[in-house]
Amino acid sequence: MKTQSMYQNLLRTMPVRIALAAGGLVLVLLVLFRLLSPLLVSSDLVRERMESAVEEWLGHDVVIRGTPSLSFWPRPVVKIDDIAIRQEDRPDAPILGHVTSLSARFSIWEALRGTPVFQDFTLTEPQVLLRQNQDGSLNWSSDGVLGQTLHRLGQSQSAVDNQLQLERDPVIGDISIVSGSLRIEDRTGRSILIDKIEGSLDWPRLSRSARLRIEAIAKNEPVSLDVSAVNPLLLLAGRGSEVDATLQSPLVTASFRGAADLQRYAFMSGDLKISVPKVAEAVTWGNIPVHIADRLTNFSLTAKLLTIGNVLRFDQLSVAANGTKGTGVMDLAMATASSPPRLTGTLAFDTIDLARLGHVIASEDQTIGADKAKRASLLERQIGLDVRFSAASAALGPVTLDNAAVSIVSNANQTQIEVLDSDLFQGSLTGELTLLQVPELSTKLRIAAKDVDLGSLGKALAWSSPSITGTGSLQARMKLSKTLLQASPDDVTGDFRFQAKSGSIGGLDLSRLMTLAGGTSYFSLQQAGQSSSSFETLEAVGKINGSSAELSSASIAVAPYRLSLAGVIPYETRSLSLSGTIENGVASHRLFIGGAWPNPVIWPMHEQFQIPGTSRP
C-alpha cells in the first residue's frame, strides 16, 4: 500500500507528467503521419523520380508503363510494374532490359521534400541483354553515374589502402532478384542464356564492401555463385580488390580468395581451387577450346596465384586427373596483339599415359580435317605450350617407361611431344611425336631405343614368334601424310635400323637350314628346325613404304653360320618375299623365302631356280 502511494505521488510530479504528455504526442504524430502519408506523397512524383534515378545511374532511357503503388506500413515501399530500359529516347530504340516489377524502400521525409531516395530494391523477372558490337564495344552505355564513377576511379590514383573517397556515396542497400534472366551475345551472334536467376546483392554504399549470392540455370545446368569484394567499385573500375569467390555446379566447383583485377587478366594473387569431375562435359558446356584436356576425368587443381607483369604464375601447383597426381610450377603468359597465350612450366607426376596424351592432342585435328577455315580458327585460339613433365612411370601402350622426362611444345605451326629420357627394360628410350599444322596436316614420329632387354620387351608386347632374347637397339623415323588418328598403314613412310647382340632366336636352326639349302626341293621353316639359335649379332636396316617394309639388309651371325636377307615384307598380310644367302665360311647357298608367317616356305636358289609365280622368257 505504501509502495502504490509512492508511485501515485511520482506520477503527479510536473517533470514526469510533461514527459508522458510529450511521449504520447510523439506517438500520436507518428500514427497520424503514417495515416496521412498516402495523401502527402504523390505517386506521380515517385514515378518521375524513379525514372530519372534509373536513367541517371544507367545512362539509358527508362520507360515506366505501370502505375506506381505505395504502401506505408510497416515501412514505406514503392512498387512499379512494367519497366523498360531502352538504348536511347526514341520509340524504335533497342530494348536493353525489362523488369516486370520493381519495389524499393524510400524515406518519407525526403519524399515530402520532393527528392525521394530509393534503396533495398527487389527486381521481379528482370530480363537483361548484354551484346557485343562489331567494334568490340558493349550495347550498354558507360555515360551514367555508375559508368562515369568507374571511369574516374580507373583513371585516378586516389584510392590508397582500400580507402575510397567519393563525391557521391549514395545508399544502395540490398538488391534482391527474383526469376531473372541474362542473355549474352558476342559479335558473331553466338549467345548464352542464364535464366531462373535468384539471389541478392548486399551493397550498403558504393564505397563499402559488397556480397553477391545468386543461383541460376546456365545452359541447362544449375549454377550457384557467391562473391564478396572489399572494394567492388575499384574492382569494376579495373583497379583491383580483395575478393572471395565460390562457384558451384554439377560440372565444376571452383573457389578463389585473394586480390583480383578485372582489367589485368582477372586474378592477381591468391588461393585457387578447381574441381571438374568430367572435363569433356565441362568443356562442351562452357564452349572452352581446351581440346588437349577433354579426355580427363576427376580433374582437380590447387595453386597459389601470382601476377608478374603479364604472366600469371601457378605456384605450389597440385593437379590430379585420371588417377594420377602432379606437382610443380606453371606460368601462363597472357595473349598479346601478336601472340596467343602460352603456358610454360614443370610438373612431376606419379604416372602419365603417353599414348592417351598423343591421342588427346591429335583428336581435334581429326574432326577439323582439311577445313582450312576451321584450322585457322583453331590456331588463333590455341594455347601455346612449353611444358616439362617427369613421371615415375609412363605408360606407352603395353609397355611402361620408368623415370620418364617428357616435354610438350606447341605453337601455331606444330605440336611436339618428346620423350627426353626414360628407362625401358634395363635400357633407355627416347622419342618424338610431331603434329604439323602447316603447310598441311601431317605427323612425324621418331623412336630411339638403346640396349633394351628383348625378352622382357617381347613379353610386354605379347610377341610369340619368333622369340628373341638379348640386348637390342632400334632407331626409327616415320612420317604420316595425315593426322595421327586418320592415318592408315598406307599413309606411313620412313626408315629403321635394328641391332641386337648376344641373344637367341627361337624356331631357327642355321645348321639345319644350311643343310636343306644345299638340296633341290623346297621346305618349310618348321622343317629347318624348332630349336633356338644363339646369335652373336642380329641386324636389320630398311624402309617403311605404306603397308609393307622394304628390307635393305638383314643378317644374323651364329658361328660359324651367317644368314643375310633382303626383300619386301607386306606385314598387313603377314607375308614374306625375301632373297638371302646362308654361309658357313666354306660354302654358301642362296635362298628365296615366300609364303606367310609364321611358317613360310623356303626355296634353294640354284642356276636353274625360278622364283614361284614367274616364267622364263
Side-chain angles (χ1 to χ4, degrees):
M1 188 71 178
K2 185 176 181 180
T3 303
Q4 182 179 0
S5 176
M6 184 175 64
Y7 279 127
Q8 290 176 349
N9 292 331
L10 180 62
L11 292 174
R12 293 191 185 99
T13 60
M14 185 61 66
V16 173
R17 293 174 64 185
I18 293 174
L20 290 174
L25 179 62
V26 170
L27 180 61
V28 170
L29 288 175
L30 287 175
V31 172
L32 288 175
F33 186 78
R34 288 291 187 183
L35 294 176
L36 296 175
S37 291
L39 302 176
L40 300 176
V41 178
S42 167
S43 60
D44 291 336
L45 171 66
V46 173
R47 172 177 177 169
E48 180 183 345
R49 182 56 186 159
M50 180 68 77
E51 280 186 346
S52 61
V54 177
E55 288 178 350
E56 183 181 14
W57 272 91
L58 298 181
H60 289 286
D61 182 54
V62 175
V63 178
I64 298 178
R65 300 187 179 96
T67 301
S69 61
L70 303 175
S71 62
F72 296 88
W73 191 265
R75 55 186 180 180
V77 174
V78 58
K79 182 175 181 292
I80 303 176
D81 297 332
D82 197 2
I83 304 172
I85 303 172
R86 301 185 301 187
Q87 197 160 40
E88 53 190 353
D89 186 9
R90 55 184 176 84
D92 59 343
I95 301 296
L96 302 180
H98 181 269
V99 181
T100 301
S101 175
L102 182 150
S103 62
R105 289 178 54 198
F106 65 96
S107 169
I108 293 179
W109 302 106
E110 291 171 333
L112 291 174
R113 293 162 53 192
T115 57
V117 176
F118 306 99
Q119 64 184 33
D120 296 340
F121 300 87
T122 297
L123 286 74
T124 302
E125 296 183 355
Q127 301 174 3
V128 177
L129 172 62
L130 184 63
R131 177 185 290 122
Q132 183 184 37
N133 301 318
Q134 291 298 321
D135 60 358
S137 63
L138 298 178
N139 58 338
W140 284 78
S141 170
S142 59
D143 295 334
V145 171
L146 181 60
Q148 292 176 356
T149 302
L150 295 177
H151 178 73
R152 285 195 297 269
L153 286 175
Q155 301 296 322
S156 171
Q157 299 296 327
S158 60
V160 180
D161 298 329
N162 292 330
Q163 297 298 315
L164 265 179
Q165 299 295 330
L166 300 177
E167 295 180 5
R168 296 179 59 184
D169 191 13
V171 174
I172 298 176
D174 295 333
I175 300 177
S176 298
I177 301 173
V178 179
S179 190
S181 68
L182 170 64
R183 181 178 293 277
I184 304 173
E185 296 181 1
D186 66 10
R187 69 180 73 186
T188 65
R190 293 178 301 181
S191 66
I192 178 174
L193 174 64
I194 304 174
D195 60 355
K196 298 182 179 178
I197 301 174
E198 307 277 345
S200 64
L201 171 63
D202 182 11
W203 196 354
R205 289 181 178 272
L206 277 183
S207 62
R208 304 286 182 83
S209 61
R211 183 178 184 183
L212 173 67
R213 287 168 288 186
I214 61 171
E215 295 181 353
I217 302 295
K219 298 181 69 173
N220 300 318
E221 291 290 343
V223 177
S224 65
L225 180 66
D226 188 338
V227 182
S228 60
V230 174
N231 259 323
L233 204 61
L234 287 179
L235 183 67
L236 295 173
R239 293 278 299 280
S241 169
E242 291 294 320
V243 171
D244 191 345
T246 301
L247 172 68
Q248 289 185 322
S249 79
L251 297 180
V252 58
T253 299
S255 66
F256 174 79
R257 176 174 293 180
D261 186 329
L262 293 183
Q263 189 176 61
R264 293 188 301 142
Y265 320 120
F267 299 125
M268 294 171 60
S269 61
D271 297 323
L272 174 68
K273 295 181 180 180
I274 300 175
S275 176
V276 186
K278 296 181 180 180
V279 177
E281 294 181 11
V283 165
T284 302
W285 174 70
N287 194 29
I288 303 172
V290 190
H291 62 287
I292 63 172
D294 61 4
R295 299 299 191 278
L296 299 178
T297 58
N298 296 321
F299 173 82
S300 64
L301 177 151
T302 61
K304 286 188 175 296
L305 298 183
L306 298 171
T307 297
I308 306 172
N310 71 329
V311 175
L312 185 62
R313 170 161 293 179
F314 296 77
D315 200 13
Q316 300 179 32
L317 175 64
S318 177
V319 295
N322 299 73
T324 186
K325 295 178 62 177
T327 57
V329 178
M330 302 290 281
D331 288 345
L332 177 61
M334 300 303 173
T336 64
S338 59
S339 62
R342 189 168 184 81
L343 187 65
T344 62
T346 59
L347 286 173
F349 282 95
D350 299 329
T351 62
I352 57 174
D353 190 331
L354 293 177
R356 175 176 292 184
L357 184 62
H359 182 277
V360 167
I361 290 180
S363 62
E364 188 164 6
D365 292 340
Q366 183 180 25
T367 59
I368 290 177
D371 190 325
K372 294 186 177 181
K374 289 183 178 180
R375 285 171 53 201
S377 175
L378 167 65
L379 300 183
E380 289 175 0
R381 62 184 171 86
Q382 187 175 19
I383 296 177
L385 298 174
D386 189 356
V387 182
R388 301 291 187 271
F389 297 129
S390 65
S393 64
L396 185 59
V399 302
T400 300
L401 309 179
D402 297 321
N403 304 317
V406 182
S407 76
I408 302 178
V409 179
S410 175
N411 54 40
N413 297 323
Q414 66 180 29
T415 298
Q416 185 180 75
I417 305 174
E418 184 175 4
V419 179
L420 303 170
D421 190 21
S422 68
D423 298 332
L424 176 63
F425 299 124
Q426 302 177 29
S428 64
L429 182 139
T430 60
E432 183 179 299
L433 174 66
T434 304
L435 307 171
L436 298 171
Q437 302 279 5
V438 291
E440 295 295 336
L441 295 174
S442 60
T443 305
K444 291 182 178 180
L445 177 64
R446 177 185 63 81
I447 297 176
K450 183 178 181 181
D451 297 334
V452 175
D453 183 345
L454 298 177
S456 299
L457 179 62
K459 291 179 181 178
L461 296 175
W463 180 275
S464 58
S465 179
S467 61
I468 302 177
T469 64
T471 301
S473 300
L474 171 69
Q475 296 85 39
R477 296 179 300 174
M478 287 171 278
K479 183 175 181 180
L480 287 65
S481 57
K482 297 181 180 178
T483 67
L484 183 65
L485 302 183
Q486 290 178 318
S488 67
D490 291 333
D491 301 313
V492 182
T493 59
D495 56 69
F496 64 90
R497 176 183 292 273
F498 174 74
Q499 298 170 305
K501 59 184 179 180
S502 304
S504 65
I505 182 168
L508 181 61
D509 186 342
L510 292 190
S511 174
R512 177 66 175 164
L513 181 63
M514 182 74 183
T515 300
L516 293 175
T520 57
S521 62
Y522 64 87
F523 55 93
S524 68
L525 181 60
Q526 290 181 351
Q527 291 176 288
Q530 296 298 311
S531 61
S532 298
S533 296
S534 298
F535 60 82
E536 298 171 2
T537 60
L538 174 62
E539 297 182 354
V541 178
K543 295 181 179 180
I544 299 173
N545 189 8
S547 58
S548 64
E550 298 178 4
L551 198 60
S552 302
S553 64
S555 63
I556 179 172
V558 180
Y561 304 100
R562 182 180 184 87
L563 174 64
S564 301
L565 300 171
V568 179
I569 304 175
Y571 41 78
E572 274 199 319
T573 59
R574 299 176 62 89
S575 58
L576 300 174
S577 180
L578 303 173
S579 62
T581 302
I582 185 169
E583 54 187 325
N584 60 5
V586 176
S588 67
H589 303 295
R590 297 174 61 204
L591 305 169
F592 176 81
I593 304 174
W597 191 265
N599 191 29
V601 179
I602 303 172
W603 285 268
M605 295 177 61
H606 304 294
E607 291 183 4
Q608 73 277 13
F609 176 78
Q610 181 178 349
I611 298 176
T614 64
S615 59
R616 292 181 180 275

